[in-house]
Amino acid sequence: MLPLFPLELVVYPGETLSLHIFEKRYQQLIKDCENDGVSFGVPTYIDKKLEYGTEVTLRKIEKKYPDGESDIICIGKRVFRITNFYPKLPNKLYAGGEVIYLEDNDRTATELQEELLRNIAILYLELTIDRPPIFDIPFISYQVAHKVGLALHQEYHLLTLRSELERLNYLIGHLKITIPVVREMNRTKEVIKMNGHFKNFDPLDFEDFEL
């Protein structure tokens, strides 16, 4: 039985998660993690349901407050699917569930990783924001998933994919759709900026024009 802390976000294996704990039920959960070394699951609450999530372990309690609240740092471990959900575990305030831990079916491909990084670099260039994240190959798709502008339902879909190759292809496909949209938005902004300004047109050559 895995204690559960449902949230409207996606946590990936290997990801660091910082949380402020203020509800009594989760104060109790973190106390159990601290005292008994238990881990807990963060299932993604999406479309009014819970199914997939990631098991996390408590790495550090950053700060404790007099009223029992705390700031904690956790690390994602492995993906699970909930088979049975219980709003409260016996003698506990927090929820829990029976889960199946999911394994990936295959490993990654260097070529796809390189293609993904190239597309991320293009996206950041088009957005003219911070420098693109730098990753050493090999890396895993989860490391870049929060950095490519996925919507929550897209991040969640990525979590459900059980193949690293599928995840890499999914991210590459997302970027190939997103980059042209960003380029068109940038072009539209330039057109809007030019509205009302004097425009310098190149002369047209009508010598060979026929009606």
Side-chain angles (χ1 to χ4, degrees):
M1 190 73 65
L2 182 68
L4 295 177
F5 190 155
L7 291 169
E8 287 186 280
L9 56 78
V10 174
V11 181
Y12 294 117
E15 180 182 354
T16 299
L17 176 68
S18 301
L19 293 172
H20 177 70
I21 306 299
F22 60 92
E23 291 188 62
K24 294 297 182 183
R25 52 182 168 172
Y26 298 127
Q27 290 180 20
Q28 183 187 63
L29 171 58
I30 298 309
K31 186 176 180 179
D32 288 348
C33 291
E34 187 179 18
N35 293 340
D36 303 329
V38 299
S39 59
F40 63 96
V42 180
T44 301
Y45 182 71
I46 187 169
D47 297 329
K48 298 183 178 180
K49 65 179 183 180
L50 299 170
E51 187 175 7
Y52 289 89
T54 298
E55 179 189 20
V56 303
T57 56
L58 178 64
R59 172 181 284 181
K60 182 182 180 183
I61 297 181
E62 191 72 26
K63 183 176 181 180
K64 291 185 177 181
Y65 298 87
D67 58 359
E69 297 184 16
S70 60
D71 296 329
I72 67 170
I73 298 175
C74 303
I75 186 76
K77 290 181 61 180
R78 50 185 174 168
V79 178
F80 62 80
R81 182 170 61 83
I82 299 172
T83 56
N84 286 295
F85 176 76
Y86 305 99
K88 283 187 179 180
L89 291 180
N91 303 314
K92 300 295 181 183
L93 298 175
Y94 51 81
E98 296 170 3
V99 304
I100 297 173
Y101 293 102
L102 305 176
E103 300 293 336
D104 282 354
N105 296 324
D106 55 26
R107 289 299 156 199
T108 186
T110 300
E111 297 81 9
L112 287 178
Q113 291 180 333
E114 291 173 345
E115 183 178 357
L116 177 56
L117 291 184
R118 284 195 299 271
N119 280 277
I120 291 174
I122 293 170
L123 176 65
Y124 277 60
L125 179 64
E126 293 292 337
L127 291 170
T128 63
I129 55 177
D130 298 334
R131 291 193 306 171
I134 298 174
F135 295 97
D136 293 327
I137 294 176
F139 61 91
I140 58 173
S141 55
Y142 294 138
Q143 292 175 265
V144 304
H146 289 312
K147 302 181 183 298
V148 296
L150 295 176
L152 177 60
H153 73 276
Q154 293 172 313
E155 291 187 340
Y156 182 71
H157 178 71
L158 188 78
L159 187 70
T160 69
L161 298 178
R162 299 286 19 101
S163 158
E164 178 68 359
L165 294 178
E166 282 186 280
R167 290 191 291 266
L168 288 169
N169 277 310
Y170 182 75
L171 291 173
I172 291 169
H174 164 75
L175 288 168
K176 287 184 175 179
I177 292 172
T178 301
I179 289 169
V181 173
V182 171
R183 282 178 176 158
E184 182 60 23
M185 289 175 60
N186 288 337
R187 189 197 69 81
T188 301
K189 285 192 293 185
E190 290 303 315
V191 170
I192 292 171
K193 287 179 183 178
M194 287 298 296
N195 188 34
H197 290 251
F198 292 103
K199 299 177 177 64
N200 183 26
F201 291 104
D202 291 330
L204 298 176
D205 185 359
F206 292 105
E207 289 184 1
D208 298 323
F209 180 76
E210 295 182 2
L211 289 175

